[in-house]
Amino acid sequence: MFNIHPLENLKVYISSRPPLVVFMISVSAMAIAFLTLGYFFKIKEIKSPEMAEDWNTFLLRFNDLDFCISENETLKHLINDTTTPESAMTSSQARPSTPSPQTLEDSGPVNTSVVITLTLDPLKPFGGFSRNVTHLSSTIFGHQIGLSGREAHEEINITFTLPAAWNSDDCILHARCEQVSFTTCMTVTAASTVFPVTVQPPHCIPETYINATFWYKIFTTARDSNTKYAQDYNPFWCYKGAVGKVYHALNPKLTVIVPDDDRSLINLHLMHTSYFLFVMVITMFCYAVIKGRPSKLRQSNSEFCPEKVAFTEA
């Protein structure tokens, strides 16, 4: 009669073959990991790794910029310009609306306008502007917002269209200038290669964003976050001015995610792999319960006993 002792066989198997036991545990852990990962891909939206940059990451780059808003910068800019600030217009205002950057890859600079939050923090002894400021303009280079390669040397023009005129009335009312925040229409003009080729955010129209008869544009200078830690850092960089900060809130609709069909396929492959690994572990476990001690060990024990008896009798 064939007798099986599962617990005893399992104990002998574990004690006699520790490498295989470690292998079984590793395969089991891998199967559980694949099973968990497959479930994660099934219920969670995953950002596509094929798209390095979307409009969320692109607009977040502007969060690291500081804009110095001062009439001195406007005067410096107008030294070589014959137009007055009142008559100066942004690129989007001087010509009809431009198609999206995706459609103009080799047609030179293009522009796009998006809604973004701009915070203006006056520094002492800033007293505001006597005129009604409606536009803020600045020019930066690609490396200032973290672009690399050829795009790092591209010139990027930025114009903020304020929803309401900004002047010194509030400064006079409160006896000092306080921080203000505007939901502005930011127009970015640059080469088409600078912009992401993904789903674009909702556009705004600078021409109709503000209801003002006269426009007054202030030219600003911008510095990136790395400038603050440079050796030639100037603490009086924006003396008698206001520092502008851009804030972009993440928009989930702008993030490129892995399609549902691809996620289902990934989940299916991971499930099949985990099932196969579980079958391997179960097969090895059944073998350990039934087989138990290795055959060589049994044979050596059976041969050892007669020799020991013969040696004793001699």
Side-chain angles (χ1 to χ4, degrees), residues 28-270:
S28 302
M30 189 176 297
I32 295 173
F34 282 152
L35 189 66
T36 305
L37 190 61
Y39 180 74
F40 177 79
F41 271 98
K42 183 178 180 181
I43 65 172
K44 190 74 173 178
E45 290 185 344
I46 308 298
K47 182 179 179 181
S48 176
E50 297 179 355
M51 197 61 61
E53 183 171 73
D54 53 32
W55 274 92
N56 266 332
T57 56
F58 178 73
L59 293 176
L60 282 174
R61 295 178 180 274
F62 292 90
N63 290 9
D64 295 329
L65 292 177
D66 290 338
F67 297 92
C68 179
I69 301 159
S70 172
E71 283 191 311
N72 291 335
E73 299 300 329
T74 301
L75 294 175
K76 293 178 183 177
H77 188 277
L78 294 178
I79 291 176
N80 298 323
D81 194 349
T82 57
T83 59
T84 61
E86 290 88 351
S87 62
M89 300 175 65
T90 63
S91 56
S92 61
Q93 295 161 347
R95 61 190 180 199
S97 58
T98 309
S100 60
Q102 287 87 336
T103 61
L104 296 174
E105 293 187 358
D106 297 321
S107 59
V110 295
N111 68 73
T112 185
S113 301
V114 297
V115 176
I116 203 165
T117 302
L118 176 66
T119 300
L120 303 176
D121 189 13
L123 303 177
K124 294 181 180 180
F126 178 72
F129 298 106
S130 57
R131 304 183 184 184
N132 293 329
V133 177
T134 58
H135 295 79
L136 303 175
S137 180
S138 183
T139 300
I140 64 172
F141 290 96
H143 65 84
Q144 291 184 266
I145 56 173
L147 298 181
S148 58
R150 189 179 65 177
E151 286 73 23
H153 306 286
E154 291 287 349
E155 188 176 275
I156 303 173
N157 295 314
I158 307 170
T159 299
F160 298 97
T161 303
L162 305 182
W166 181 47
N167 51 39
S168 59
D169 291 348
D170 290 337
C171 299
I172 297 174
L173 180 64
H174 299 94
R176 62 186 181 89
C177 295
E178 297 182 347
Q179 185 184 83
V180 292
S181 181
F182 294 104
T183 302
T184 67
C185 181
M186 182 178 73
T187 301
V188 182
T189 304
S192 58
T193 55
V194 171
F195 299 99
V197 289
T198 59
V199 178
Q200 295 187 22
H203 292 279
C204 56
I205 304 175
E207 295 89 342
T208 60
Y209 197 78
I210 183 172
N211 185 16
T213 306
F214 295 99
W215 294 349
Y216 184 71
K217 181 165 65 173
I218 292 291
F219 292 91
T220 69
T221 56
R223 68 176 183 183
D224 56 276
S225 56
N226 296 328
T227 308
K228 301 176 184 178
Y229 307 101
Q231 294 182 353
D232 56 348
Y233 169 67
N234 182 11
F236 302 101
W237 169 68
C238 198
Y239 183 68
K240 292 185 178 181
V243 177
K245 292 286 295 183
V246 173
Y247 175 73
H248 167 68
L250 287 176
N251 185 352
K253 295 181 180 180
L254 301 181
T255 302
V256 181
I257 62 174
V258 177
D260 292 340
D261 295 340
D262 292 344
R263 288 195 293 120
S264 299
L265 185 61
I266 294 172
N267 173 68
L268 184 63
H269 287 325
L270 291 173

